């Protein structure tokens, strides 16, 4: 049995490692989210609502040179807390791993914070997947307390 010299094995491992490193996407980014208080998010959001996702589309925006796509969701509004005055709304988010878009599936209930026309949201706005009625009631009560000016009595 012939043993290979250590240098030959190391060179082979290094070569394979270098080849596979070129397969990693160059546009991969870590999440960088600006920290905002719940009060600031509520104040800055033009629309706050609880809704069920009816449809999700992952689409590349037209006219943009960026390779990032946009997640668009049709959402049935079930509790309009602020500025969401339609039965069904379209909500957009980037497709980064930081935002709600990659985690969302049809049929889920979410608490959305959005602004603009069309409605856009981001990871900084801390949209919440609602998994129980108790969780939803806590979140919505907290927001309503902020909007009414009784922040001190709201549970967080």
């Amino acid at each position: 049995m012939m043993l290979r010299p250590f240098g030959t094995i190391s060179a082979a491992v290094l070569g394979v490692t270098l080849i596979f490193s070129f397969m990693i996407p160059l546009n991969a980014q870590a999440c960088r989210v600006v920290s905002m208080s719940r009060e600031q998010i509520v104040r800055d959001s033009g629309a706050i609502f609880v809704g069920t996702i009816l449809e999700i589309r992952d689409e590349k925006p037209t006219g943009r040179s960026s390779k990032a796509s946009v997640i668009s969701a049709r959402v049935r509004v079930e509790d309009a807390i602020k500025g969401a005055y339609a039965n069904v709304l379209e909500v957009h988010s980037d497709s980064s791993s930081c935002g709600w878009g990659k985690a969302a599936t049809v049929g889920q209930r979410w608490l959305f914070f959005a602004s603009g026309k069309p409605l856009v949201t981001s990871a900084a706005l801390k949209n919440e997947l609602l998994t129980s009625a108790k969780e939803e009631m806590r979140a919505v009560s907290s927001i309503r307390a902020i909007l009414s000016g009784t922040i001190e009595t709201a549970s967080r």
Side-chain angles (χ1 to χ4, degrees):
M1 181 162 100
M2 183 174 171
L3 296 176
R4 291 186 186 183
F6 180 71
T8 305
I9 293 172
S10 295
V13 170
L14 178 62
V16 169
T17 302
L18 287 173
I19 289 170
F20 283 111
S21 70
F22 288 107
M23 295 179 174
I24 298 171
L26 294 177
N27 62 348
Q29 298 180 24
C31 292
R32 284 180 276 166
V33 178
V34 176
S35 181
M36 295 171 60
S37 69
R38 176 56 64 101
E39 292 81 9
Q40 186 177 4
I41 292 168
V42 168
R43 186 187 68 237
D44 292 350
S45 296
I48 303 171
F49 60 97
V50 173
T52 298
I53 296 177
L54 302 173
E55 176 187 7
I56 297 175
R57 292 180 315 282
D58 190 351
E59 49 199 34
K60 180 153 173 72
T62 56
R64 289 176 74 183
S65 60
S66 170
K67 294 182 181 179
S69 61
V70 172
I71 301 293
S72 296
R74 281 185 50 243
V75 180
R76 180 178 54 243
V77 177
E78 290 153 3
D79 188 357
I81 301 166
K82 177 184 175 185
Y85 304 115
N87 292 329
V88 176
L89 292 173
E90 186 91 12
V91 182
H92 305 279
S93 177
D94 66 30
S95 64
S96 74
S97 60
C98 305
W100 62 271
K102 287 292 185 187
T105 60
V106 171
Q108 289 178 328
R109 288 174 60 86
W110 282 77
L111 171 60
F112 286 100
F113 299 91
S115 291
K117 285 195 175 206
L119 287 175
V120 177
T121 187
S122 69
L125 296 179
K126 301 178 184 166
N127 299 290
E128 293 180 35
L129 172 62
L130 301 171
T131 57
S132 71
K134 181 179 179 182
E135 183 179 71
E136 181 175 334
M137 189 166 34
R138 177 206 49 82
V140 171
S141 295
S142 171
I143 293 165
R144 290 191 195 286
I146 293 167
L147 290 170
S148 69
T150 58
I151 300 170
E152 295 79 25
T153 60
S155 61
R156 292 188 198 164

